[in-house]
Amino acid sequence: GHTMRQALRIFSRRLATGAAVTFTGVTGSALWWKAQAESKVDYAAVKKDISDLLDSNLDYDDGSYGPVLVRLAWHSSGTYSVFEGTGGSCGATMRFKPESADPANAGLDVARDLLEPVKAKHPGLSYSDLWTLAGCVAIEEMGGPKIGWRPGRTDAKCGHCCPPVGRLPDASRNADHLRAVFYRMGMSDKEIVALSGAHVLGRCHKDRSGYDGPWVRSPTTFSNEYFKRLYDTKWTIREWDGPLQYQNPEKDLMMLPTDMEIIRDPAFEQYAKIYAEDEQAFFKDFAAVFKKLIEL
């Protein structure tokens, strides 16, 4: 429609001039929340049910399902394309192939299955709203900022609505790749760096992404530790039989090639430095961009 054509013109013009690309109020689902009928879902109860699940299995990873729920919210939203108006948080299309079988989404069946009892308990709740809300609850419960979340997303009926496989970032690539992926969502350099800060949570799994290990020593606490470690640690290439990744001298932490780009690329690095020194600035910017992400 008119709004999408206008957004694409702005996007193309800003890319051509090298300006930051941001869209305020233009989302992938054409302001879907405004059309939301009065809901009978008790979202406070949903949030409590999600919160109760986070530490329900202390044997899972580092004792919390929080990080994998954040990854589910991000991967289900980060497929959006401003060029085509497809993908994004509406639809919960990861329930279907080919999206559910995308190697980038390996391991997210854990998060989807975990949330099934919550979906069953609240019949009027869409998967799309559940997945995005779960990410927000997890961030807040792990000590992060409160994310502005609102309901109204609807679910797709079948896999025909799945976005093309390959829209999520490839951790082995460089800054140009990160920009190609995130500019396609309408994100700016600043927003790319802020979102990267979520790598403070969780760990990589050799049987999922091929990479191995956590980024920080407190992977269930949301903080600016990721940015601090990028700067204050001597990162060297890990010698192993897996893909290229970096390790600290103690060999218990890791960084991905795309993480290193955050401090190697001058345009990215200016924001990483701010976030390493000012946790409140990071929290403020992260809350804003995560809200934007889950409304694509």
Side-chain angles (χ1 to χ4, degrees), residues 43 46-56 60 63-74 108 111 114-115 118 129-149 197-198 200-202 218-223 283 286-287 290 294:
Y43 291 106
V46 175
K47 289 177 73 172
K48 184 182 184 307
D49 289 341
I50 294 168
S51 179
D52 289 344
L53 287 173
L54 295 180
D55 302 328
S56 60
Y60 179 77
S64 172
Y65 284 115
V68 77
L69 291 180
V70 175
R71 183 168 164 247
L72 176 64
W74 140 230
L108 286 178
L114 180 72
L115 294 172
V118 182
D129 277 346
L130 174 59
W131 292 357
T132 51
L133 180 57
C136 297
V137 171
I139 288 166
E140 192 172 352
E141 290 290 322
M142 290 186 286
K146 183 177 178 60
I147 312 292
W149 178 90
V200 73
L201 301 174
S218 51
T220 61
T221 300
F222 197 91
S223 70
F283 275 32
F286 182 85
F290 199 81
I294 61 171

Side-chain angles (χ1 to χ4, degrees), residues 162-242:
C162 287
V165 169
R167 285 188 175 179
L168 293 167
D170 178 345
S172 69
R173 304 283 293 279
N174 61 14
D176 289 343
H177 169 74
L178 284 177
R179 288 192 172 93
V181 168
F182 284 94
Y183 284 8
R184 190 208 66 233
M185 299 178 218
M187 299 290 184
S188 66
D189 284 357
K190 181 180 182 180
E191 290 170 324
I192 292 171
V193 177
L195 279 176
S196 296
H199 278 177
V200 73
L201 301 174
R203 61 175 56 238
C204 287
H205 303 77
K206 195 172 181 182
D207 61 346
R208 296 180 188 177
S209 64
Y211 298 100
D212 178 51
W215 289 267
V216 301
R217 293 196 178 96
S218 51
T220 61
T221 300
F222 197 91
S223 70
N224 67 338
E225 192 79 5
Y226 165 79
F227 297 107
K228 288 182 175 180
R229 293 293 80 79
L230 273 172
Y231 281 102
D232 70 11
T233 303
K234 180 176 173 58
W235 298 101
T236 58
I237 293 174
R238 177 179 176 181
E239 294 181 12
W240 72 315
D241 60 356

Side-chain angles (χ1 to χ4, degrees), residues 71-119:
R71 183 168 164 247
L72 176 64
W74 140 230
H75 278 219
S76 65
S77 303
T79 56
Y80 183 66
S81 169
V82 296
F83 300 111
E84 299 170 32
T86 57
S89 66
C90 261
T93 47
M94 203 190 299
R95 291 170 294 144
F96 310 113
K97 290 182 177 180
E99 191 174 352
S100 62
D102 183 347
N105 292 328
L108 286 178
D109 55 315
V110 171
R112 298 195 301 271
D113 292 347
L114 180 72
L115 294 172
E116 279 296 332
V118 182
K119 177 72 172 71

